[in-house]
Amino acid sequence: MIKKLVYILYFGLLSSPVWGQSPAGTYNANNRFEQLESILPTPNTYRTASGSPGKDYWQQRADYDIKVELDDINRKIIGSETITYFNNSPDELPYLWLQLDQNLFEKGAAGTTTRTGDIKNGIPISAFKELTDPKSYGYKITAVKDIKGNPLRYTINQTMMRIDLPTPVKSGASVSFAIDWNYLITEYYGRSGYEFFAKDGNANYFIAHWFPRMAVYNDVYGWQHKQFLGQGEFTLNFGNYKVAITAPNDMVVGAGGELLNPNQVMTAAQLKRWDKAKTALRPVEIVTQEEAEQAEKGKPTGKKTWVYKADNVRDFAFTASRKFIWDAMQVDVEGKKVWAMSYYSKEGNPLWGKYSTMVVAHTLRSYSKRTIAYPYPVAISCHATLGGGMEYPMISFNGGRPEADGTYSENVKNGMIGVIIHEVGHNFFPMIVNSDERQWSWMDEGLNTFCQYLAEQEWDRNFPARRGEAQSIVPYMRLDSKNQVPIMANSENIMDFGNNAYAKPAAALNILRETVMGRELFDYAFKEYARRWAFKQPYPADFFRTLEDASGVDLDWFWRGWFYGTEPVNQSIETVEWYGIDNQDPVAKKAKDKADFLAKRETISNIRNKTDIKETVVEKEPDMRDFYNSYDRFATNDAEKKKYQDYLASLSDEERKLVAEGKNFYVVNFKNKGGLPMPVIVKLTYEDGTDEVLRFPAEIWRLNDVQAKKIIPTSKKVAKWTLDPYFEIADIDTDDNSYPREPAQPTRVQLFKAQPRSYGAGQANPMQEAQNAKKAAGAVTGSKN
């Protein structure tokens, strides 16, 4: 039996530094590590099991030729467009669906009537304006015609419009039609609108979802025409745009595209600065602050038309103001020259002139490195109101404004930098990797927030990122499950939008990268996802499958827990047991037995000394003694010594070395109290002050999702065990992550006991006694630490 024990230890150490527990006995059977299988859609020739677009993958395309006028006096958009729609699906389409997002602001719109709340703490200004504004917002469709000018029948259903075609558009064919419309521009509400400056009587315009746009028809949903309720954003087709924007001639107009007529809209001085910006290392002001301030004071003398084109984009937005300063520089992004630009009024300085365009350039480089090289000719940041941001292809509207005297706090500066990175980063998700925001907000917001976190750290190592770190999501995951919904919830049904769509998926991806997969595997797989789905329309299964396919890591348990569930991470160390190897040395064994015996006899003698026994018979009468009174029962005889030598001779050199090393063996009992399985990361702090970190994959919980025991051998004695020492897994309760227990914050009782106290002669110090007892207990073979 002794020889067998040594063999078990020896071969266990050969295979692994830590042994797994046997599945024998009772355990909690669970499906946490089963494949998602039926939860994910069945692979087909459009979307494969590997996560790649299939051989028959298709998507629709819509090209736009738009003429629009910005009416600054009436705050109105007047437009006409010709849409050419390409039916690349295998289906015949008898009608087409378009999005009318401005109808969100119609009286009686579902986005307003379904909104809930109370007025206990007052009514928001925005809600008051909705109730009192006499203007009629939303689209006024004045004409819908075919390419020959014949009227087409159409039906408007809130934020959606169906156009009935005279003859269905066949698979592989295209159809062109024209729409005329107008609408009143709302005040800026975070996505689009205008900001009015009462001091000088001017407005900055941020014009988005401003034209009737084709809804998506795809292999997943057919027509994706969910109503726009304000939270779930947009699902759009790629296409080519040519847009002529007419505005007052004293305004600067920027747009998400390439300016085709700079000579007609820019002065000679501005054109020279434009050329200078092509080689500058810092942003060059194309329109200076002095020019902008002069325009603020004047009045337009006519109109000017700015013509832009944008190829292979999913949307188009523009900005306009006579207040704008405009700076730009060309930057190298993966070997290609790209314009980085900013438009901002003087209210944004000095922050905007110093940081905005530089942050745009940094974002393009950072994201391109992790996804695909930025494919467009320009990326723009516009200064829009005080905070928040919104993204469109090649252009974004971003907050962050100093005080009126030009001073600003650290929070305002970092907030502005963070929002610019985030909104410019949206060029990649979802403007290039074209996910369905109306259905799955996390596929653009979560992935983008993850990349934003990395870009922020590359901008400034000490950047105070508020999302991305595992610990950042802990307060949300501590919430009662009734106050959460899974990440895999429809965009309009998310309760805590910021945490659910942004922070939790970003933290999950960061945990995948740093803890579950490792940077090399994750970065390769993430980049492969971007490469596969650039300029295509991926869905969650495509993302999940691609990350597994390109890394060789089974992550179904991770998607199930983090994306389909609401359970938190909460691990603990319940107990630690210590064992040592019995080396079978009879001399050492009997010496220990003798010490134990003498200690016990001394205790008994002390008790007897308290009686009235003065002398025993054996002590008075020596002839009453025999061999057994002087016999050393703890002496090692020759037979025992020979047996031990024979035992050592039977061992190999490796086995003899193992026995001589006197290793420690700990049985550590981990508990999964939160439900969400995660890797177990434990730090061992040894008695000599050194430490070591061991990492066990999440599959440690695959046979028992509540409790897992691990046998951990060490050469040195462990003084302290710490779970998740670097806060990598978003554990919601760290008070039970140390053994012996060390609460993160001492209690008032502990603080009281820690105060210095004096003890009289002969009076025991209870704290010292407890420590001595603890040390004594830890030195006994088979005891618990």
Side-chain angles (χ1 to χ4, degrees):
M1 291 300 295
I2 294 171
K3 180 68 178 288
K4 182 177 181 182
L5 173 63
V6 173
Y7 268 116
I8 291 173
L9 295 177
Y10 174 62
F11 286 118
L13 289 172
L14 270 185
S15 62
S16 171
V18 180
W19 307 321
Q21 74 274 24
S22 168
T26 60
Y27 58 88
N28 292 320
N30 62 86
N31 66 352
R32 297 186 189 276
F33 291 88
E34 293 299 321
Q35 300 302 290
L36 290 177
E37 295 294 343
S38 60
I39 295 177
L40 298 182
T42 304
N44 52 47
T45 59
Y46 306 135
R47 299 169 190 270
T48 68
S50 70
S52 293
K55 65 183 181 65
D56 295 325
Y57 176 82
W58 55 269
Q59 64 187 35
Q60 310 291 63
R61 173 182 151 196
D63 291 349
Y64 297 81
D65 189 339
I66 307 176
K67 294 178 175 60
V68 59
E69 180 174 348
L70 171 61
D71 181 347
D72 182 40
I73 296 175
N74 296 303
R75 309 266 193 257
K76 188 174 185 179
I77 287 290
I78 305 156
S80 63
E81 65 181 350
T82 298
I83 303 176
T84 302
Y85 184 71
F86 298 85
N87 181 15
N88 298 319
S89 79
D91 308 319
E92 208 174 73
L93 302 177
Y95 48 78
L96 306 176
W97 281 97
L98 286 84
Q99 303 182 46
L100 302 181
D101 302 305
Q102 286 297 321
N103 286 358
L104 175 69
F105 303 103
E106 282 188 318
K107 292 189 184 301
T112 302
T113 57
T114 60
R115 195 177 305 149
T116 59
D118 58 46
I119 56 174
K120 288 181 180 179
N121 299 314
I123 186 169
I125 293 176
S126 60
F128 183 77
K129 287 182 177 179
E130 287 176 4
L131 296 172
T132 60
D133 194 338
K135 295 179 182 177
S136 176
Y137 294 100
Y139 281 114
K140 306 298 184 289
I141 303 295
T142 56
V144 179
K145 301 177 180 179
D146 66 17
I147 200 64
K148 295 179 180 179
N150 300 313
L152 292 173
R153 180 181 172 184
Y154 64 92
T155 301
I156 295 177
N157 177 15
Q158 300 184 59
T159 61
M160 291 288 164
M161 178 171 73
R162 189 189 70 234
I163 297 179
D164 300 325
L165 301 174
T167 57
V169 57
K170 296 184 179 300
S171 174
S174 64
V175 61
S176 296
F177 55 95
I179 302 175
D180 296 339
W181 77 95
N182 64 78
Y183 70 87
L184 295 178
I185 305 169
T186 64
E187 289 188 35
Y188 188 77
Y189 79 106
R191 299 194 194 279
S192 177
Y194 68 88
E195 179 184 11
F196 180 68
F197 295 83
K199 186 174 181 179
D200 54 55
N202 293 298
N204 293 346
Y205 292 92
F206 310 98
I207 306 301
H209 48 92
W210 54 279
F211 58 98
R213 302 175 296 179
M214 289 301 308
V216 163
Y217 182 83
N218 65 21
D219 62 287
V220 177
Y221 290 116
W223 285 109
Q224 168 51 302
H225 46 28
K226 289 181 180 293
Q227 293 293 334
F228 179 39
L229 302 182
Q231 182 163 277
E233 293 180 4
F234 316 113
T235 307
L236 298 160
N237 303 278
F238 285 105
N240 299 330
Y241 287 75
K242 182 180 179 183
V243 182
I245 305 165
T246 299
N249 64 354
D250 58 348
M251 283 190 172
V252 174
V253 176
E258 183 179 359
L259 180 61
L260 296 183
N261 63 335
N263 293 330
Q264 283 75 50
V265 294
M266 296 165 64
T267 67
Q270 291 166 353
L271 288 169
K272 286 183 180 179
R273 298 172 198 150
W274 177 269
D275 286 335
K276 180 181 177 183
K278 293 177 181 177
T279 56
L281 299 178
R282 286 290 186 271
V284 174
E285 287 186 350
I286 310 302
V287 176
T288 67
Q289 181 164 333
E290 182 181 0
E291 290 170 332
E293 289 177 344
Q294 192 63 33
E296 281 181 347
K297 301 171 184 176
K299 296 292 182 182
T301 58
K303 299 177 182 179
K304 189 185 294 184
T305 299
W306 301 62
V307 182
Y308 283 91
K309 77 163 186 172
D311 292 336
N312 206 18
V313 295
R314 55 168 250 163
D315 200 0
F316 191 96
F318 68 93
T319 187
S321 177
R322 59 180 55 88
K323 293 172 61 67
F324 276 157
I325 304 161
W326 173 19
D327 71 33
M329 61 187 285
Q330 277 201 338
V331 296
D332 184 276
V333 181
E334 302 283 312
K336 175 187 175 182
K337 289 291 185 181
V338 177
W339 281 107
M341 298 180 182
S342 297
Y343 295 82
Y344 49 96
S345 52
K346 66 179 185 294
E347 287 79 7
N349 272 334
L351 274 177
W352 277 74
K354 182 174 182 178
Y355 290 110
S356 179
T357 297
M358 295 296 291
V359 175
V360 172
H362 166 70
T363 305
L364 296 179
R365 294 188 184 107
S366 177
Y367 277 65
S368 294
K369 177 175 61 178
R370 302 187 186 283
T371 58
I372 67 164
Y374 186 70
Y376 297 128
V378 63
I380 298 169
S381 171
C382 303
H383 179 212
T385 70
L386 297 177
M390 189 61 201
E391 74 281 357
Y392 302 95
M394 292 184 261
I395 189 170
S396 57
F397 308 147
N398 307 312
R401 182 174 295 173
E403 300 296 327
D405 62 0
T407 60
Y408 54 84
S409 68
E410 184 179 16
N411 284 341
V412 168
K413 170 196 165 183
N414 290 329
M416 185 199 81
I417 291 171
V419 78
I420 292 175
I421 291 175
H422 183 87
E423 305 306 341
V424 173
H426 268 308
N427 277 288
F428 297 83
F429 305 102
M431 302 305 166
I432 296 170
V433 182
N434 184 20
S435 56
D436 181 351
E437 302 169 89
R438 189 62 56 85
Q439 180 64 32
W440 306 112
S441 290
W442 71 266
M443 288 195 73
D444 70 295
E445 299 296 359
L447 271 61
N448 184 43
T449 301
F450 164 71
C451 291
Q452 173 193 349
Y453 166 76
L454 296 177
E456 287 172 343
Q457 305 312 301
E458 291 172 338
W459 173 267
D460 183 346
R461 191 179 303 278
N462 298 313
F463 193 91
R466 66 191 184 102
R467 291 167 175 160
E469 292 280 6
Q471 282 300 98
S472 67
I473 199 60
V474 166
Y476 174 65
M477 296 184 74
R478 281 185 182 140
L479 295 177
D480 190 294
S481 59
K482 69 183 180 183
N483 295 321
Q484 298 185 55
V485 295
I487 292 175
M488 288 292 290
N490 175 263
S491 298
E492 296 292 356
N493 301 336
I494 298 171
M495 291 188 288
D496 192 334
F497 199 74
N499 277 314
N500 181 280
Y502 293 69
K504 187 176 180 181
L509 294 179
N510 200 32
I511 290 170
L512 273 184
R513 184 174 189 261
E514 299 293 340
T515 303
V516 175
M517 299 171 69
R519 294 179 182 178
E520 183 179 358
L521 286 174
F522 178 89
D523 288 351
Y524 181 88
F526 191 77
K527 193 176 183 73
E528 177 65 8
Y529 168 71
R531 185 196 68 78
R532 285 179 178 182
W533 290 98
F535 302 105
K536 296 181 177 67
Q537 296 172 340
Y539 278 86
D542 305 314
F543 178 72
F544 298 154
R545 286 166 167 158
T546 293
L547 259 63
E548 295 191 32
D549 181 69
S551 68
V553 180
D554 183 357
L555 297 171
D556 280 29
W557 64 270
F558 190 87
W559 311 131
R560 187 188 298 275
W562 276 89
F563 286 75
Y564 288 90
T566 58
E567 289 179 313
V569 181
N570 187 3
Q571 297 179 0
S572 69
I573 299 179
E574 295 296 297
T575 58
V576 177
E577 301 173 25
W578 174 84
Y579 298 89
I581 292 180
D582 186 350
N583 62 12
Q584 304 299 314
D585 183 352
V587 175
K589 184 177 185 300
K590 290 199 172 186
K592 183 180 182 304
D593 292 343
K594 185 174 183 179
D596 292 342
F597 173 79
L598 292 175
K600 183 182 293 185
R601 188 171 69 177
E602 183 179 1
T603 300
I604 294 172
S605 296
N606 289 336
I607 294 173
R608 287 174 176 169
N609 286 339
K610 295 179 181 179
T611 68
D612 57 356
I613 298 175
K614 303 300 182 181
E615 190 176 19
T616 65
V617 171
V618 172
E619 290 171 342
K620 288 189 296 184
E621 306 290 340
D623 61 331
M624 292 294 98
R625 301 177 184 176
D626 65 4
F627 168 80
Y628 292 105
N629 290 103
S630 59
Y631 167 68
D632 184 359
R633 69 187 67 185
F634 298 106
T636 305
N637 58 43
D638 291 340
E640 291 171 326
K641 291 179 180 178
K642 183 177 184 307
K643 182 179 180 181
Y644 177 59
Q645 293 302 319
D646 292 343
Y647 161 69
L648 292 179
S650 71
L651 301 179
S652 67
D653 291 341
E654 290 84 0
E655 291 168 339
R656 196 176 295 112
K657 180 181 178 182
L658 174 64
V659 171
E661 281 179 350
K663 278 190 175 293
N664 305 283
F665 295 89
Y666 294 93
V667 178
V668 185
N669 181 14
F670 300 107
K671 192 169 184 180
N672 178 16
K673 298 163 68 174
L676 178 53
M678 286 292 286
V680 174
I681 307 161
V682 60
K683 179 180 178 181
L684 287 61
T685 302
Y686 297 109
E687 289 182 344
D688 64 3
T690 61
D691 57 58
E692 179 183 8
V693 175
L694 302 178
R695 295 174 177 270
F696 310 119
E699 285 78 4
I700 188 176
W701 307 105
R702 71 189 184 278
L703 299 180
N704 186 327
D705 62 344
V706 174
Q707 179 176 277
K709 289 187 176 183
K710 296 296 293 185
I711 303 172
I712 302 177
T714 68
S715 298
K716 297 181 286 187
K717 286 284 186 69
V718 179
K720 178 183 174 183
W721 304 78
T722 307
L723 266 178
D724 191 25
Y726 307 121
F727 305 103
E728 297 179 60
I729 61 173
D731 194 319
I732 65 168
D733 180 10
T734 58
D735 285 352
D736 53 12
N737 282 15
S738 295
Y739 201 94
R741 291 283 187 262
E742 286 189 1
Q745 297 294 330
T747 65
R748 294 173 67 181
V749 173
Q750 289 171 323
L751 290 173
F752 173 76
K753 288 184 175 180
Q755 294 176 356
R757 298 180 62 185
S758 60
Y759 297 88
Q763 186 178 7
N765 179 335
M767 294 181 69
Q768 189 62 51
E769 283 190 345
Q771 292 174 358
N772 292 339
K774 183 177 175 181
K775 289 181 180 178
V780 180
T781 301
S783 69
K784 293 185 178 181
N785 284 356

